[in-house]
Amino acid sequence: MTAEQLQFIFEKFDHIEVFKTFEELSSGHINDTYLVTTESDRQFILQRINDGVFKDVPGLIANKVSVSKHLLRKLKDLPEDELKRRVLTFVGTKKGIFYYQDQEGNFWNVMVYIEGSLTFETVNNEEIAYEGGKLFGEFLNLTSDFDARKLTEVIPNFHNMAFRYSQFDTAMKEASGQRIEQAKDLIKLVEDLKEEMHILQNLKDAKKIKLRVTHNDTKISNALFDTNKKGLCVIDTDTVMPGIIHYDFGDAIRTICNTAAEDEKNLEKVNFNLQFYKAYVKGFLEKTNSSLSTLEIKYLPLGAKTMTFIMALRFLTDFLNDDVYYKTEYPEHNLDRSKNQFKLIESLSEQFAEMEDYNLNFIGTLK
């Protein structure tokens, strides 16, 4: 995109700023995101939503705006300057809606940039894990009274285990003999874990676990921190939709507690960091304990195992499908990613009893 093109789009939104410069941000993998600086030195995030991934962009943007408005109401007693740093602020267009559709059909939205904030790509100490737990926990707690049924399901069946197994079964029928042979050990694990990995799905379907607003992309880079490394604001709310709390808890634990990168081939480096788990749980339950049921708390550790398994299964399925979804750098990339996640499950499982005990014991200190 040229400066002139971005300026034209930016001017469709309802503000009094004058476009000066822009910088493309590369942290996201789906949308095109730009940091716009104006003549007054105010900064905004200008973002093109990928309508190839998200089929209902107006619904997605309505989700984001509705949740932000809810958070603003819940935190209305904060000073205005602090409130703007704690909650995403979306800028409407001059037509009174929160997205602009250009001549090519692309959807754009604008947010106010939160200045003086930090992000972390990985967690390297317990302090960041604890603050991340508090921040994502607070997001879930503050939205616990929001009617999740009012949200659009922007990616249908995103964490639906039955759906993921169905995709896997189809891939198995169509995969080459060579790839099935390469993945045979992982395929056996998928079958061995099938019953356990449906527990949360079955509880959700039976409505024994509350349907909530969930973020659905709780990697640590979607948490903003202030300069003192204290949690500030949850960002990248494109995947906000109805779900169960174990989705967000589990995905955060999966990414925070892996001692290696997601595609590390040396599996000896892949282990589950129990201390980071405990730090995250401490922060998370400090913020969510009052709004969670006993059943929800009981199954949080299984949420971590389940979300790790879903990623292992998705990588494996894509490998069997000849790598049609995830970008790969070499032929066995998705297979290595899947092996990585299954090794993390193995390490997590060895410490599972201690994870459960810690949750239950820590709960007792909060009530």
Side-chain angles (χ1 to χ4, degrees):
M1 296 291 289
T2 66
E4 290 76 17
Q5 289 172 315
L6 291 176
Q7 179 177 353
F8 177 83
I9 294 165
F10 184 66
E11 290 176 351
K12 297 297 181 180
F13 289 84
D14 190 16
H15 53 76
I16 58 173
E17 302 294 328
V18 177
F19 184 100
K20 184 169 68 173
T21 61
F22 78 94
E23 173 188 351
E24 185 169 5
L25 303 179
S26 58
S27 60
H29 301 295
I30 296 176
N31 301 321
D32 295 327
T33 306
Y34 304 89
L35 178 64
V36 172
T37 302
T38 66
E39 294 288 351
S40 67
D41 288 330
R42 290 189 70 196
Q43 292 183 303
F44 297 81
I45 298 294
L46 175 61
Q47 188 174 61
R48 183 188 70 83
I49 305 296
N50 187 332
D51 59 355
V53 173
F54 302 111
K55 304 305 182 184
D56 182 1
V57 178
L60 177 155
I61 293 174
N63 284 358
K64 296 201 291 186
V65 172
S66 295
V67 168
S68 278
K69 287 181 176 179
H70 180 83
L71 293 173
L72 286 170
R73 288 193 295 270
K74 296 299 287 283
L75 297 172
K76 65 181 186 302
D77 293 334
L78 293 177
E80 185 174 352
D81 288 347
E82 184 178 356
L83 191 58
K84 289 180 179 179
R85 289 170 59 76
R86 295 281 303 279
V87 182
L88 293 176
T89 301
F90 293 91
V91 180
T93 66
K94 292 174 181 176
K95 292 185 177 181
I97 58 178
F98 283 92
Y99 63 88
Y100 167 69
Q101 190 171 14
D102 65 23
Q103 291 183 340
E104 286 74 40
N106 299 308
F107 291 89
W108 298 81
N109 71 155
V110 169
M111 293 165 283
V112 177
Y113 177 71
I114 299 176
E115 298 182 7
S117 57
L118 305 171
T119 58
F120 298 94
E121 290 300 316
T122 58
V123 173
N124 295 314
N125 59 66
E126 293 175 29
E127 177 189 4
I128 298 302
Y130 169 70
E131 287 294 327
K134 282 174 57 180
L135 190 58
F136 285 118
E138 182 179 50
F139 176 86
L140 291 165
N141 189 54
L142 291 173
T143 57
S144 63
D145 58 345
F146 187 107
D147 186 355
R149 294 171 298 180
K150 294 181 178 180
L151 296 176
T152 297
E153 191 176 7
V154 294
I155 306 179
N157 296 312
F158 192 42
H159 296 317
N160 185 303
M161 190 63 75
F163 174 71
R164 295 302 179 189
Y165 263 93
S166 174
Q167 289 183 313
F168 169 75
D169 291 341
T170 299
M172 283 289 293
K173 293 174 184 175
E174 300 176 358
S176 69
Q178 179 185 350
R179 292 214 165 194
I180 289 177
E181 177 63 23
Q182 287 177 281
K184 63 181 181 180
D185 293 341
L186 303 189
I187 291 168
K188 185 177 186 306
L189 288 172
V190 170
E191 295 302 326
D192 290 346
L193 289 167
K194 186 171 184 178
E195 184 175 349
E196 183 183 12
M197 290 300 98
H198 277 83
I199 290 174
L200 289 175
Q201 182 69 48
N202 293 338
L203 288 169
K204 176 179 177 289
D205 291 345
K207 299 182 179 178
K208 293 182 178 179
I209 295 178
K210 180 181 176 180
L211 193 69
R212 298 173 176 271
V213 174
T214 46
H215 183 280
N216 295 294
D217 191 11
T218 50
K219 57 180 179 283
I220 199 66
S221 58
N222 282 334
L224 285 189
F225 295 80
D226 64 20
T227 53
N228 295 317
K229 298 182 179 179
K230 301 298 182 184
L232 193 61
C233 178
V234 171
I235 60 172
D236 197 1
T237 52
D238 291 345
T239 51
V240 163
M241 55 184 161
I244 58 175
I245 202 163
H246 307 84
Y247 295 165
D248 281 3
F249 178 84
D251 202 31
I253 294 301
R254 180 186 74 84
T255 53
I256 287 170
C257 296
N258 192 341
T259 59
E262 194 172 68
D263 55 1
E264 173 60 59
K265 290 188 282 187
N266 183 353
L267 299 183
E268 291 184 2
K269 295 182 179 180
V270 179
N271 289 291
F272 184 79
N273 190 319
L274 185 62
Q275 297 311 117
F276 285 4
Y277 174 83
K278 291 180 177 179
Y280 187 91
V281 167
K282 184 175 186 292
F284 186 82
L285 289 181
E286 281 179 5
K287 294 296 184 179
T288 60
N289 185 51
S290 62
S291 63
L292 298 185
S293 69
T294 302
L295 196 65
E296 285 175 313
I297 296 170
K298 173 185 176 182
Y299 282 108
L300 286 177
L302 183 59
K305 186 173 183 178
T306 301
M307 292 305 297
T308 306
F309 176 84
I310 276 188
M311 286 311 303
L313 181 62
R314 290 177 66 189
F315 287 140
L316 178 59
T317 299
D318 200 33
F319 174 74
L320 294 172
N321 282 332
D322 295 327
D323 312 309
V324 295
Y325 187 83
Y326 294 107
K327 293 179 181 178
T328 56
E329 297 177 3
Y330 57 92
E332 292 81 28
H333 199 167
N334 274 322
L335 183 64
D336 287 337
R337 287 165 169 158
S338 187
K339 288 178 179 178
N340 179 299
Q341 295 296 288
F342 274 115
K343 174 61 192 309
L344 186 61
I345 290 172
E346 179 185 335
S347 179
L348 181 157
S349 298
E350 291 169 354
Q351 303 173 83
F352 196 77
E354 190 170 350
M355 292 165 62
E356 290 183 309
D357 289 344
Y358 181 78
N359 279 43
L360 295 175
N361 291 336
F362 189 73
I363 292 163
T365 69
L366 293 176
K367 290 187 175 178

